[in-house]
Amino acid sequence: MAPEFPPLVLLPLDGIPVPPLRVTVPDVTVGRGPECQARIDIPSISRRHARLRHERGTWIVEDLGSRHGTWVDGVRVEPGRDGVLSENSTLTLGPCRFRVAGSNVGSSTMVALAQDEQQVGRGSTVKKVSDEDLGALAKRRLDALLEISEILQESSGETELARCALDALVRGTGYACATWVRLRGPSQLEVLGVAMQSGRGATSELPVSRTLLNAAREGVIAKLEDQPFLREAESVVAGHITSALCVPVVLGREVDSFLYLASGFGANDPQQDAATYAAALARFCALSLANLRRRRLEEQQRMIMHDLEQARLVQQKFVPADRGTIGPMHFAMHARPGRFVAGDICGVRDLGRNRAIFFVGDVSGKGMGPALLMTSLQSFLDAAAVDTPPDELVSRASTHFARYSTDSRFATLWLACADGDGAELQCVDAGHGLAFLVRDGVAQQVDEVSGGPPLGVVEGQIYGSSVIRLAPGERLVIVTDGVTEQADGRGEQFGTDRLVAALRGSTNCDDDVARVTSELQRYAGTTEFSDDMTVLSMTLRQ
């Protein structure tokens, strides 16, 4: 059964991304909230913005106390008052402007204002543009936008991008001038560029309406002539501006900047589809900005990877050979960084006169900071070890580490010094704990070595030392917590029991390292471990 009143059809104007509204019941609420019968899902539309009702043959609009207001033909509808809608009336709800089109929504209708009636405050006349003219106009606009998009994508920086985009805006919209601005804090504007119509000279300043800018901050196009209260803005009045448009440039879901266009100054009126054209160009600007930032990030990443590669090469110079004989000892080791650079310390140093020092440690944390501290600490230990007893060496290393570390970082360290025949190792454990003595194919954790807390924890800490006696064939194996704390797919750590089991039956240093590394890789299910891992095994030289 047909309704007893004519439906109300509202056609959106100026490229605002909302669908037409068709009202077929005599009383509806318009707004952003889910309870509204006519929803406009735009942030600057209030949850309950306005009410549309049909009374005695007339459609009436009532503002419901909305934040951004309601207008009919440029006249604000105050809350509690009614605005009467008629055929071809302009209804403005916040940033959205609609034409009252009656009961039929055309598929290819464009509204244009007569040249003699485009001044602010005057009425408008509706003309239909033929399909042929529309097709030609759309083709020219599309070709121009595609050409501009190619130019924008090739821009080398924001300055060049702004210059190209703004020049295209003033040529393609008919506005007298355009600027691209970005908000820096609540009150400061960064001007990316300014463009003027040909023959109007150049300027480095364009008065920007804060009110219009704030309206566009919600991600919608804000237009001066759509919102009569903006005409009272100081910058608009002082600049003799009769028409202004602010289009947000949106990256992802955030408004990055704004394309601001203005006319006045005796200029011709902007073209009818200026808002649509500017909105399309703003999307190209957003894509070009994203492309610039992607290229910048890629360049930064290349530089970072180059720096990391150089840092890795420096660290590799500190890492001892996989196996060798030094002083009275033979050793084997394997070290693998969890990231590109490591925070693990591993050193083997010939002290002369049949003496050698071995150490393994770990700087807390991951990344470049711990890696730099690792390099500093290893350099100190290598340089100071020659004429310094082990306990004093570790005490001095703790002071050195505390001097250069940041963010309350610390380092664990297990150090062994072999002197003479190597049967007695003088050892210091600075909070490390992960040393194992392998006798007759059975490994047992060493837990009674003197030392102290990790390096850098206690200022002026004095460390002690203990003696471990090695018989021929026995080995001392030291690992970092990247071995024991490596987790499997369920999150369970490798632990010391599995380490002891991996060493069971091992017969030499090479076998120790190979067994631990292989078993850890099998347990983790990958060769990419979650943390730096180091294994060092040493025994008496045969």
Side-chain angles (χ1 to χ4, degrees):
M1 181 177 179
E4 299 178 355
F5 56 88
L8 177 65
V9 178
L10 302 176
L11 297 178
L13 301 176
D14 304 319
I16 299 294
V18 297
L21 296 180
R22 182 178 176 88
V23 181
T24 58
V25 295
D27 194 337
V28 299
T29 302
V30 183
R32 182 167 45 86
E35 70 276 10
C36 295
Q37 297 91 341
R39 289 195 64 195
I40 303 178
D41 193 11
I42 288 180
S44 52
I45 294 291
S46 298
R47 289 183 62 86
R48 298 180 74 254
H49 196 105
R51 178 187 177 193
L52 296 170
R53 66 182 192 276
H54 189 268
E55 292 183 359
R56 297 185 295 277
T58 303
W59 279 101
I60 294 171
V61 62
E62 173 190 353
D63 187 84
L64 299 179
S66 65
R67 179 181 177 186
H68 294 297
T70 302
W71 287 264
V72 175
D73 293 329
V75 178
R76 183 162 190 165
V77 180
E78 300 295 337
R81 301 291 184 90
D82 291 339
V84 178
L85 300 176
S86 57
E87 189 82 8
N88 293 326
S89 287
T90 299
L91 172 63
T92 304
L93 304 172
C96 301
R97 198 163 66 116
F98 298 89
R99 178 173 66 87
V100 179
S103 59
N104 295 309
V105 180
S107 60
S108 61
T109 301
M110 177 175 273
V111 181
L113 299 181
Q115 287 293 330
D116 59 349
E117 295 186 357
Q118 284 189 330
Q119 299 177 18
V120 175
R122 302 177 70 177
S124 62
T125 301
V126 178
K127 295 197 308 182
K128 291 191 70 176
V129 181
S130 69
D131 290 340
E132 182 179 351
D133 289 343
L134 274 176
L137 175 63
K139 179 65 166 60
R140 289 196 303 272
R141 287 304 215 191
L142 179 60
D143 290 345
L145 284 170
L146 289 176
E147 181 180 355
I148 293 166
S149 71
E150 293 179 4
I151 296 173
L152 296 181
Q153 287 297 316
E154 294 175 358
S155 299
S156 60
E158 287 191 357
T159 300
E160 182 183 352
L161 175 61
R163 178 180 57 79
C164 297
L166 294 173
D167 180 62
L169 274 176
V170 295
R171 286 189 289 107
T173 63
Y175 277 92
C177 50
T179 185
W180 193 344
V181 296
R182 181 178 286 130
L183 277 174
R184 294 296 190 190
S187 60
Q188 187 176 0
L189 282 179
E190 175 190 1
V191 179
L192 303 182
V194 177
M196 305 285 288
Q197 279 185 0
S198 178
R200 293 187 174 273
T203 180
S204 60
E205 295 183 0
L206 174 64
V208 175
S209 166
R210 293 281 182 173
T211 312
L212 199 62
L213 203 64
N214 286 333
R217 289 180 70 177
E218 299 191 25
V220 297
I221 300 170
K223 194 172 183 181
L224 171 64
E225 60 189 28
D226 290 347
Q227 303 189 37
F229 71 91
L230 290 174
R231 300 189 213 287
E232 302 174 4
E234 181 179 347
S235 58
V236 171
V237 175
H240 305 290
I241 294 173
T242 59
S243 180
L245 184 71
C246 190
V247 184
V249 178
V250 181
L251 285 180
R253 296 186 177 182
E254 299 295 327
V255 175
D256 172 83
S257 49
F258 306 88
L259 301 177
Y260 186 91
L261 302 93
S263 271
F265 323 103
N268 294 329
D269 289 315
Q271 297 182 22
Q272 179 189 353
D273 65 342
T276 304
Y277 184 84
L281 192 55
R283 294 189 184 98
F284 286 129
C285 289
L287 290 172
S288 299
L289 274 178
N291 189 45
L292 280 176
R293 294 179 183 181
R294 177 186 58 79
R295 295 205 307 257
R296 190 180 303 129
L297 286 173
E298 287 176 350
E299 179 59 28
Q300 290 174 349
Q301 186 176 24
R302 282 193 291 269
M303 294 174 62
I304 290 171
M305 292 304 295
H306 173 76
D307 292 344
L308 285 173
E309 174 64 21
Q310 297 303 307
R312 186 180 68 84
L313 292 175
V314 171
Q315 282 196 325
Q316 283 183 339
K317 292 183 178 297
F318 289 95
V319 178
D322 290 345
R323 60 184 57 82
T325 300
I326 189 168
M329 309 295 291
H330 176 77
F331 73 92
M333 65 83 57
H334 179 74
R336 187 179 303 180
R339 296 191 180 184
F340 209 78
V341 289
D344 276 5
I345 307 163
C346 184
V348 174
R349 183 80 158 84
D350 188 347
L351 303 181
R353 301 189 299 277
N354 204 32
R355 296 164 53 241
I357 193 167
F358 302 82
F359 54 86
V360 171
D362 183 12
V363 177
S364 62
K366 297 180 178 65
M368 183 58 76
L372 290 173
L373 288 172
M374 167 267 181
T375 305
S376 172
L377 181 57
Q378 182 133 1
S379 299
F380 177 86
L381 290 170
D382 281 348
V386 177
D387 299 315
T388 308
D391 48 2
E392 183 182 342
L393 175 62
V394 176
S395 299
R396 290 175 58 189
S398 180
T399 301
H400 171 85
F401 185 85
R403 181 181 300 130
Y404 295 105
S405 66
T406 59
D407 302 328
S408 301
R409 294 195 185 278
F410 60 88
T412 63
L413 181 70
W414 219 101
L415 182 143
C417 181
D419 192 355
D421 60 9
E424 292 187 350
L425 299 177
Q426 192 173 0
C427 303
V428 182
D429 182 4
H432 192 79
L434 296 175
F436 300 82
L437 191 60
V438 183
R439 289 190 174 106
D440 300 324
V442 178
Q444 183 177 4
Q445 188 168 4
V446 178
D447 54 9
E448 296 183 356
V449 171
S450 298
L455 308 183
V457 172
V458 179
E459 184 177 357
Q461 175 71 36
I462 302 300
Y463 290 82
S465 63
S466 299
V467 172
I468 291 180
R469 291 174 174 81
L470 284 182
E474 296 179 345
R475 281 105 54 208
L476 180 64
V477 178
I478 311 169
V479 302
T480 58
D481 61 9
V483 175
T484 57
E485 294 180 2
Q486 174 63 48
D488 63 3
R490 299 168 299 175
E492 185 176 348
Q493 294 185 350
F494 187 69
T496 57
D497 289 345
R498 290 186 179 86
L499 175 63
V500 168
L503 292 170
R504 186 176 297 119
S506 179
T507 59
N508 56 59
C509 292
D510 289 334
D511 198 16
D512 293 338
V513 173
R515 283 170 174 259
V516 172
T517 304
S518 175
E519 182 61 21
L520 187 66
Q521 183 175 317
R522 186 201 63 77
Y523 184 77
T526 178
T527 59
E528 301 294 329
F529 300 138
S530 59
D531 196 2
D532 308 326
M533 64 82 66
T534 301
V535 184
L536 172 66
S537 176
M538 67 190 80
T539 189
L540 296 175
R541 184 173 61 186
Q542 298 298 318

